[in-house]
Amino acid sequence: MRYYHSLSALVLAAATVAPLSPYKAAYADSASAVAGKMQAMPDGAAVYKHVCQSCHMADGKGAVGAGARFPALAGNAKLKTASYPAYVVLNGYGGMPWFAGLLSDKQVVDVVGYIRTHFGNHYTDTLKPDEVKEMRPSLTVEDQ
């Protein structure tokens, strides 16, 4: 019985404090719902290290574990067309969240260029910020 009263007090305390929290709810599929806009980064390597590396690994070989699979970027033929990885970065795919609210057009261009010319990939055609702008989904204030 003592356990029940302690649990009831804990739930009541949490219900009282939670509405006072200034934080907005995060969306499960949104990288930007928690982080806001990304700070300036000098190049695609910095964007990769800051945003992508934790899932796709430092060597770009991806990872498997804990019920998740993070695809390899190393030697990935899907990167042949620059618009494909740009679209995935902006809109997400599968378990990957979308980063349209987090990354600028230039940051998307930089990171796509980086992954397409590193990790054993040799795709040298470039993407322009205007092309990324055309792919960018329309976001509401709540989405950003």
Side-chain angles (χ1 to χ4, degrees), residues 40-48 106-107 110-111 114:
M41 300 266 177
D43 55 24
V47 175
Y48 183 84
K106 180 166 181 349
Q107 288 171 325
D110 290 348
V111 76
Y114 178 77

Side-chain angles (χ1 to χ4, degrees), residues 65-87:
R69 181 181 179 283
F70 303 101
L73 300 173
N76 190 329
K78 290 183 177 180
L79 302 178
K80 184 177 183 178
T81 304
S83 60
Y84 176 77
Y87 181 86

